[in-house]
Short mmCIF file of all heavy atoms in Angstrom, two decimals:
data_model
loop_
_atom_site.label_atom_id
_atom_site.label_comp_id
_atom_site.label_asym_id
_atom_site.label_seq_id
_atom_site.Cartn_x
_atom_site.Cartn_y
_atom_site.Cartn_z
N PRO N 13 6.05 -149.58 92.46
CA PRO N 13 5.00 -149.43 91.46
C PRO N 13 5.53 -149.18 90.07
O PRO N 13 6.75 -149.04 89.89
CB PRO N 13 4.20 -148.24 91.98
CG PRO N 13 5.25 -147.39 92.66
CD PRO N 13 6.19 -148.39 93.31
N ARG N 14 4.64 -149.10 89.11
CA ARG N 14 4.99 -148.81 87.73
C ARG N 14 4.08 -147.74 87.18
O ARG N 14 2.89 -147.69 87.53
CB ARG N 14 4.89 -150.07 86.86
CG ARG N 14 5.86 -151.17 87.25
CD ARG N 14 5.80 -152.31 86.26
NE ARG N 14 4.53 -153.03 86.35
CZ ARG N 14 4.41 -154.29 86.75
NH1 ARG N 14 5.48 -154.98 87.09
NH2 ARG N 14 3.21 -154.86 86.78
N LEU N 15 4.60 -146.90 86.35
CA LEU N 15 3.85 -145.87 85.66
C LEU N 15 4.11 -145.96 84.16
O LEU N 15 5.21 -146.29 83.74
CB LEU N 15 4.22 -144.47 86.15
CG LEU N 15 3.80 -144.06 87.55
CD1 LEU N 15 4.40 -142.70 87.88
CD2 LEU N 15 2.29 -144.01 87.68
N TYR N 16 3.08 -145.62 83.38
CA TYR N 16 3.21 -145.68 81.93
C TYR N 16 2.62 -144.42 81.33
O TYR N 16 1.67 -143.85 81.85
CB TYR N 16 2.46 -146.87 81.35
CG TYR N 16 3.00 -148.21 81.78
CD1 TYR N 16 2.46 -148.87 82.87
CD2 TYR N 16 4.04 -148.82 81.08
CE1 TYR N 16 2.96 -150.09 83.29
CE2 TYR N 16 4.53 -150.04 81.48
CZ TYR N 16 3.98 -150.67 82.59
OH TYR N 16 4.48 -151.89 82.98
N ALA N 17 3.19 -144.01 80.21
CA ALA N 17 2.56 -142.98 79.41
C ALA N 17 1.24 -143.51 78.87
O ALA N 17 1.10 -144.69 78.55
CB ALA N 17 3.47 -142.55 78.27
N ASN N 18 0.26 -142.62 78.73
CA ASN N 18 -1.04 -143.06 78.23
C ASN N 18 -0.93 -143.66 76.84
O ASN N 18 -1.70 -144.56 76.49
CB ASN N 18 -2.01 -141.88 78.20
CG ASN N 18 -2.45 -141.46 79.59
OD1 ASN N 18 -2.45 -142.25 80.52
ND2 ASN N 18 -2.83 -140.20 79.73
N SER N 19 0.02 -143.21 76.05
CA SER N 19 0.17 -143.69 74.68
C SER N 19 0.61 -145.14 74.60
O SER N 19 0.44 -145.77 73.55
CB SER N 19 1.14 -142.80 73.91
OG SER N 19 2.41 -142.79 74.54
N VAL N 20 1.19 -145.68 75.67
CA VAL N 20 1.68 -147.05 75.65
C VAL N 20 0.99 -147.95 76.66
O VAL N 20 1.23 -149.16 76.66
CB VAL N 20 3.21 -147.11 75.87
CG1 VAL N 20 3.93 -146.21 74.88
CG2 VAL N 20 3.57 -146.74 77.31
N LYS N 21 0.16 -147.39 77.51
CA LYS N 21 -0.50 -148.16 78.55
C LYS N 21 -1.35 -149.29 77.94
O LYS N 21 -2.09 -149.06 77.00
CB LYS N 21 -1.38 -147.24 79.39
CG LYS N 21 -1.87 -147.85 80.69
CD LYS N 21 -2.61 -146.81 81.54
CE LYS N 21 -1.70 -145.64 81.91
NZ LYS N 21 -2.40 -144.64 82.74
N GLY N 22 -1.17 -150.49 78.46
CA GLY N 22 -1.86 -151.64 77.94
C GLY N 22 -1.12 -152.36 76.84
O GLY N 22 -1.51 -153.49 76.48
N ARG N 23 -0.08 -151.76 76.31
CA ARG N 23 0.72 -152.37 75.24
C ARG N 23 2.14 -152.68 75.70
O ARG N 23 2.72 -153.68 75.29
CB ARG N 23 0.77 -151.49 74.00
CG ARG N 23 -0.60 -151.21 73.38
CD ARG N 23 -0.46 -150.49 72.05
NE ARG N 23 0.16 -149.18 72.20
CZ ARG N 23 1.29 -148.81 71.60
NH1 ARG N 23 1.94 -149.65 70.81
NH2 ARG N 23 1.76 -147.58 71.79
N PHE N 24 2.71 -151.80 76.51
CA PHE N 24 4.10 -151.94 76.96
C PHE N 24 4.13 -152.37 78.43
O PHE N 24 3.24 -151.99 79.21
CB PHE N 24 4.85 -150.62 76.83
CG PHE N 24 5.14 -150.17 75.43
CD1 PHE N 24 4.56 -150.79 74.32
CD2 PHE N 24 5.99 -149.10 75.22
CE1 PHE N 24 4.81 -150.36 73.03
CE2 PHE N 24 6.27 -148.66 73.92
CZ PHE N 24 5.68 -149.29 72.84
N THR N 25 5.16 -153.11 78.80
CA THR N 25 5.38 -153.52 80.17
C THR N 25 6.82 -153.30 80.54
O THR N 25 7.72 -153.81 79.87
CB THR N 25 5.00 -154.98 80.40
OG1 THR N 25 3.64 -155.22 80.03
CG2 THR N 25 5.18 -155.35 81.86
N ILE N 26 7.04 -152.55 81.61
CA ILE N 26 8.39 -152.36 82.13
C ILE N 26 8.62 -153.36 83.27
O ILE N 26 7.72 -153.60 84.07
CB ILE N 26 8.64 -150.91 82.60
CG1 ILE N 26 10.11 -150.70 82.99
CG2 ILE N 26 7.71 -150.53 83.73
CD1 ILE N 26 10.47 -149.25 83.26
N SER N 27 9.79 -153.92 83.33
CA SER N 27 10.13 -154.86 84.40
C SER N 27 11.61 -154.75 84.70
O SER N 27 12.37 -154.15 83.95
CB SER N 27 9.75 -156.29 84.05
OG SER N 27 10.45 -156.73 82.90
N ARG N 28 12.01 -155.32 85.83
CA ARG N 28 13.42 -155.28 86.19
C ARG N 28 13.82 -156.58 86.86
O ARG N 28 13.02 -157.22 87.54
CB ARG N 28 13.72 -154.09 87.09
CG ARG N 28 13.03 -154.11 88.44
CD ARG N 28 13.14 -152.77 89.14
NE ARG N 28 14.51 -152.42 89.46
CZ ARG N 28 14.95 -151.19 89.70
NH1 ARG N 28 14.09 -150.17 89.67
NH2 ARG N 28 16.23 -150.98 89.98
N ASP N 29 15.06 -156.95 86.67
CA ASP N 29 15.65 -158.09 87.33
C ASP N 29 16.93 -157.58 87.98
O ASP N 29 17.97 -157.48 87.33
CB ASP N 29 15.95 -159.21 86.33
CG ASP N 29 16.39 -160.49 87.01
OD1 ASP N 29 16.92 -160.43 88.13
OD2 ASP N 29 16.22 -161.57 86.41
N ASN N 30 16.81 -157.24 89.25
CA ASN N 30 17.96 -156.66 89.93
C ASN N 30 19.14 -157.62 90.04
O ASN N 30 20.30 -157.20 90.03
CB ASN N 30 17.55 -156.18 91.33
CG ASN N 30 16.66 -154.97 91.30
OD1 ASN N 30 16.58 -154.27 90.28
ND2 ASN N 30 15.97 -154.70 92.40
N ALA N 31 18.86 -158.92 90.13
CA ALA N 31 19.93 -159.91 90.19
C ALA N 31 20.75 -159.93 88.90
O ALA N 31 21.94 -160.18 88.92
CB ALA N 31 19.36 -161.30 90.46
N LYS N 32 20.09 -159.66 87.78
CA LYS N 32 20.77 -159.59 86.49
C LYS N 32 21.22 -158.17 86.14
O LYS N 32 21.84 -157.97 85.09
CB LYS N 32 19.87 -160.12 85.37
CG LYS N 32 19.56 -161.61 85.48
CD LYS N 32 18.72 -162.06 84.31
CE LYS N 32 18.43 -163.55 84.38
NZ LYS N 32 17.60 -164.01 83.25
N ASN N 33 20.86 -157.22 86.99
CA ASN N 33 21.21 -155.83 86.76
C ASN N 33 20.69 -155.34 85.41
O ASN N 33 21.38 -154.64 84.66
CB ASN N 33 22.73 -155.61 86.85
CG ASN N 33 23.10 -154.41 87.70
OD1 ASN N 33 22.37 -154.01 88.60
ND2 ASN N 33 24.25 -153.82 87.42
N THR N 34 19.45 -155.71 85.12
CA THR N 34 18.86 -155.45 83.82
C THR N 34 17.43 -154.98 83.97
O THR N 34 16.69 -155.46 84.82
CB THR N 34 18.91 -156.71 82.94
OG1 THR N 34 20.27 -157.14 82.80
CG2 THR N 34 18.35 -156.44 81.56
N VAL N 35 17.05 -154.04 83.12
CA VAL N 35 15.68 -153.55 83.02
C VAL N 35 15.16 -153.87 81.62
O VAL N 35 15.93 -153.82 80.64
CB VAL N 35 15.62 -152.04 83.29
CG1 VAL N 35 14.19 -151.53 83.22
CG2 VAL N 35 16.22 -151.73 84.65
N TYR N 36 13.87 -154.17 81.51
CA TYR N 36 13.29 -154.56 80.25
C TYR N 36 12.11 -153.68 79.90
O TYR N 36 11.44 -153.12 80.77
CB TYR N 36 12.80 -156.02 80.30
CG TYR N 36 13.87 -157.01 80.71
CD1 TYR N 36 13.99 -157.43 82.02
CD2 TYR N 36 14.76 -157.52 79.77
CE1 TYR N 36 14.96 -158.32 82.40
CE2 TYR N 36 15.74 -158.42 80.14
CZ TYR N 36 15.84 -158.83 81.45
OH TYR N 36 16.79 -159.73 81.81
N LEU N 37 11.84 -153.59 78.63
CA LEU N 37 10.62 -152.97 78.14
C LEU N 37 10.03 -153.91 77.08
O LEU N 37 10.56 -154.01 75.96
CB LEU N 37 10.88 -151.60 77.53
CG LEU N 37 9.63 -150.83 77.10
CD1 LEU N 37 8.80 -150.43 78.31
CD2 LEU N 37 9.99 -149.60 76.27
N GLN N 38 8.96 -154.60 77.47
CA GLN N 38 8.26 -155.45 76.54
C GLN N 38 7.25 -154.60 75.78
O GLN N 38 6.39 -153.96 76.39
CB GLN N 38 7.54 -156.58 77.28
CG GLN N 38 6.72 -157.50 76.39
CD GLN N 38 7.59 -158.32 75.45
OE1 GLN N 38 8.58 -158.89 75.87
NE2 GLN N 38 7.21 -158.36 74.18
N MET N 39 7.36 -154.59 74.47
CA MET N 39 6.52 -153.75 73.63
C MET N 39 5.68 -154.65 72.72
O MET N 39 6.22 -155.35 71.87
CB MET N 39 7.36 -152.78 72.80
CG MET N 39 8.29 -151.91 73.63
SD MET N 39 9.16 -150.69 72.63
CE MET N 39 10.16 -151.78 71.61
N ASN N 40 4.38 -154.62 72.92
CA ASN N 40 3.45 -155.40 72.12
C ASN N 40 2.57 -154.48 71.30
O ASN N 40 2.42 -153.30 71.59
CB ASN N 40 2.59 -156.29 73.01
CG ASN N 40 3.37 -157.29 73.82
OD1 ASN N 40 4.39 -157.80 73.36
ND2 ASN N 40 2.89 -157.59 75.02
N SER N 41 1.96 -155.05 70.28
CA SER N 41 1.04 -154.29 69.41
C SER N 41 1.67 -152.98 68.93
O SER N 41 1.07 -151.92 69.00
CB SER N 41 -0.27 -154.02 70.16
OG SER N 41 -0.89 -155.23 70.56
N LEU N 42 2.86 -153.09 68.45
CA LEU N 42 3.60 -151.89 68.05
C LEU N 42 2.92 -151.16 66.90
O LEU N 42 2.34 -151.77 66.01
CB LEU N 42 5.03 -152.26 67.67
CG LEU N 42 5.96 -152.52 68.85
CD1 LEU N 42 7.20 -153.28 68.41
CD2 LEU N 42 6.35 -151.20 69.51
N LYS N 43 3.01 -149.84 66.96
CA LYS N 43 2.41 -148.97 65.97
C LYS N 43 3.50 -148.12 65.31
O LYS N 43 4.54 -147.89 65.92
CB LYS N 43 1.39 -148.03 66.63
CG LYS N 43 0.29 -148.74 67.40
CD LYS N 43 -0.59 -147.74 68.12
CE LYS N 43 -1.69 -148.43 68.89
NZ LYS N 43 -2.54 -147.45 69.62
N PRO N 44 3.27 -147.65 64.09
CA PRO N 44 4.28 -146.79 63.46
C PRO N 44 4.67 -145.58 64.31
O PRO N 44 5.83 -145.18 64.28
CB PRO N 44 3.59 -146.36 62.16
CG PRO N 44 2.69 -147.50 61.83
CD PRO N 44 2.18 -147.98 63.17
N GLU N 45 3.73 -145.04 65.07
CA GLU N 45 4.03 -143.90 65.91
C GLU N 45 4.94 -144.24 67.09
O GLU N 45 5.39 -143.34 67.81
CB GLU N 45 2.75 -143.22 66.41
CG GLU N 45 1.77 -144.16 67.07
CD GLU N 45 0.67 -144.60 66.11
OE1 GLU N 45 0.97 -144.93 64.95
OE2 GLU N 45 -0.50 -144.62 66.54
N ASP N 46 5.21 -145.53 67.33
CA ASP N 46 6.17 -145.93 68.34
C ASP N 46 7.61 -145.82 67.84
O ASP N 46 8.54 -146.00 68.63
CB ASP N 46 5.92 -147.37 68.79
CG ASP N 46 4.60 -147.55 69.51
OD1 ASP N 46 4.24 -146.67 70.32
OD2 ASP N 46 3.92 -148.56 69.26
N THR N 47 7.80 -145.53 66.58
CA THR N 47 9.14 -145.41 66.00
C THR N 47 9.90 -144.29 66.71
O THR N 47 9.47 -143.14 66.70
CB THR N 47 9.06 -145.15 64.50
OG1 THR N 47 8.46 -146.28 63.85
CG2 THR N 47 10.43 -144.91 63.92
N SER N 48 11.02 -144.65 67.30
CA SER N 48 11.82 -143.71 68.09
C SER N 48 13.13 -144.38 68.45
O SER N 48 13.28 -145.59 68.34
CB SER N 48 11.11 -143.30 69.39
OG SER N 48 10.07 -142.38 69.17
N VAL N 49 14.05 -143.58 68.95
CA VAL N 49 15.16 -144.10 69.70
C VAL N 49 14.70 -144.22 71.15
O VAL N 49 14.18 -143.25 71.72
CB VAL N 49 16.41 -143.19 69.59
CG1 VAL N 49 17.53 -143.73 70.49
CG2 VAL N 49 16.86 -143.10 68.15
N TYR N 50 14.91 -145.38 71.73
CA TYR N 50 14.48 -145.65 73.09
C TYR N 50 15.66 -145.59 74.03
O TYR N 50 16.69 -146.24 73.77
CB TYR N 50 13.77 -147.00 73.18
CG TYR N 50 12.38 -146.96 72.65
CD1 TYR N 50 12.12 -146.87 71.29
CD2 TYR N 50 11.27 -146.99 73.52
CE1 TYR N 50 10.82 -146.79 70.80
CE2 TYR N 50 9.98 -146.94 73.03
CZ TYR N 50 9.75 -146.84 71.67
OH TYR N 50 8.47 -146.78 71.18
N TYR N 51 15.51 -144.85 75.12
CA TYR N 51 16.59 -144.66 76.09
C TYR N 51 16.20 -145.22 77.46
O TYR N 51 15.09 -145.02 77.92
CB TYR N 51 16.87 -143.17 76.26
CG TYR N 51 17.36 -142.48 75.02
CD1 TYR N 51 16.49 -141.87 74.13
CD2 TYR N 51 18.73 -142.43 74.74
CE1 TYR N 51 16.95 -141.24 72.99
CE2 TYR N 51 19.20 -141.80 73.60
CZ TYR N 51 18.31 -141.20 72.73
OH TYR N 51 18.77 -140.58 71.62
#
């Protein structure tokens, strides 16, 4: 399953590709309050 913070629900999508050993965060409709270092 996937879980999201309420502040990003409906705008961000987390996904993973285990074959590529990579995780993604698709961020749409970005807002100034999204400004951060992402870890």
